[in-house]
Amino acid sequence: MKEINPNDFASRGWELDPMFPPGFFYPLKEGTPHLHLTSVLDSGKPVMAYLGYKDASGTKVIFQGGQWNQSIVDQIPDAKIKIEANFAKAYS
């Protein structure tokens, strides 16, 4: 997995989630729909642990346990959110 550089996400408009080292929301935590990325430290470096997509019908897991579910990304109707989900794939 690729090490997460918070600046890579912040420069694209992702909101920092202070609960994870680091974690992010796109576009915003309080908005729906949004993406939620969490990370864990692996040998002291942050790597993606989870990426979810939340909409009015609930949360769908895009990435967890080393498994990427592209079919969920493909179903995201908002083009900007879909682009950002595909951007995050490089860190899975």
Side-chain angles (χ1 to χ4, degrees):
M1 284 188 264
K2 183 176 176 182
E3 179 180 352
I4 291 176
N5 179 342
N7 293 329
D8 291 346
F9 287 85
S11 68
R12 297 178 67 95
W14 290 65
E15 177 186 4
L16 182 64
D17 176 0
M19 299 297 294
F20 294 93
F24 302 93
F25 294 95
Y26 184 86
L28 298 170
K29 178 180 182 178
E30 299 305 321
T32 301
H34 70 250
L35 297 171
H36 184 204
L37 182 150
T38 62
S39 65
V40 294
L41 296 177
D42 183 15
S43 301
K45 298 177 182 180
V47 296
M48 188 183 343
Y50 168 87
L51 181 65
Y53 172 70
K54 182 177 182 179
D55 63 12
S57 67
T59 301
K60 299 163 187 76
V61 177
I62 296 171
F63 177 80
Q64 191 170 36
Q67 299 296 314
W68 182 268
N69 190 338
Q70 187 65 38
S71 67
I72 292 173
V73 175
D74 293 342
Q75 294 173 29
I76 295 173
D78 183 297
K80 289 181 180 179
I81 293 176
K82 186 181 290 189
I83 287 168
E84 293 306 311
N86 281 312
F87 162 75
K89 185 175 184 178
Y91 293 85
S92 65

